[in-house]
Amino acid sequence: MIEESFISSRRPSPLGGRKPTKDDLAEFATDDPDAIDDVLPGRPGELSMLIVGINPGLWTAAVNAPFARPGNRFWPSLHQAGLTDHLVDASLGLAAADEAQLLARGIGITNLVGRATARADELDNQELRDGAARLVHRLDDIRPKVVAIAGITSFRNGYSQPKAQLGLQDSSLIEGWPEDIPLHVVPQPSGLNAHYQVPDLARIWRQVWESIEA
């Protein structure tokens, strides 16, 4: 149970709560493999849904908060799906109260690749394959009830599944994937993805969430 006195173990925003400038963003385009902290509980087996982004954007790394760039549809769609009780604004950093709410509801967030880039397509296939394999190994410790990876192209490349489509995956095709943890691939919520607007994403998040309770 997450107490009201929850204290985050995540690092605060490197910018101290201010908006990143263009020069700030450029400074976060580095090879740091841990550009952003995960949102994860301290003990295994406490997550209902593990959301996996592809990698942090520069804005996200600059404020150390997942899906932080203004215009990203992640937080609005999560709220419209009923998975947060208010619209989280992570653009200047993730508040401890918002992190506590996510963890109390059993929602965790991580990435396939920890290196920050301006766009996910700046990652090479080896980085994606390495990150995909690392996620499989981490599942034994995290033990979520379901995993949702946000980004079909990177999923295809990372897991060598060129014909994969959005939705529930056949995880038996992925070496080492725990057979009791369902795997979904959902659309990239970036504002650059014009094919899926907030209501579309909200419907998909809700479907994944309700699949846990089914």
Side-chain angles (χ1 to χ4, degrees), residues 191-209:
L192 298 175
N193 184 359
H195 298 292
Y196 291 89
Q197 301 300 314
V198 170
D200 305 310
L201 294 168
R203 173 180 49 79
I204 292 169
W205 287 126
R206 193 69 209 170
Q207 288 172 347
V208 175
W209 187 257

Side-chain angles (χ1 to χ4, degrees), residues 41-48 106 138-145:
R43 294 177 296 181
E46 295 184 347
L47 283 188
S48 294
R138 294 179 71 197
L139 291 179
D140 284 335
D141 293 327
I142 302 173
R143 301 303 306 170
K145 293 179 181 177

Side-chain angles (χ1 to χ4, degrees), residues 59-134:
W59 190 300
T60 282
V63 301
N64 190 30
F67 301 99
R69 189 176 186 89
N72 193 293
R73 301 184 179 103
F74 176 77
W75 295 110
S77 63
L78 213 64
H79 177 51
Q80 195 170 117
L83 301 187
T84 61
D85 61 19
H86 65 273
L87 176 57
V88 172
D89 181 358
S91 62
L92 302 181
L94 184 66
D98 291 329
E99 180 185 358
Q101 179 191 171
L102 290 168
L103 295 177
R105 296 194 173 185
I107 298 172
I109 305 173
T110 188
N111 289 285
L112 280 183
V113 177
R115 181 171 73 90
T117 60
R119 296 172 60 104
D121 59 14
E122 294 178 41
L123 302 174
D124 62 43
N125 285 344
Q126 189 59 54
E127 282 182 286
L128 290 169
R129 286 192 291 267
D130 290 345
R134 185 164 51 249

Side-chain angles (χ1 to χ4, degrees), residues 13-27:
S13 166
L15 302 182
R18 67 173 173 81
K19 178 181 177 180
T21 66
K22 185 178 294 187
D23 288 341
D24 289 328
L25 297 180
E27 291 181 5

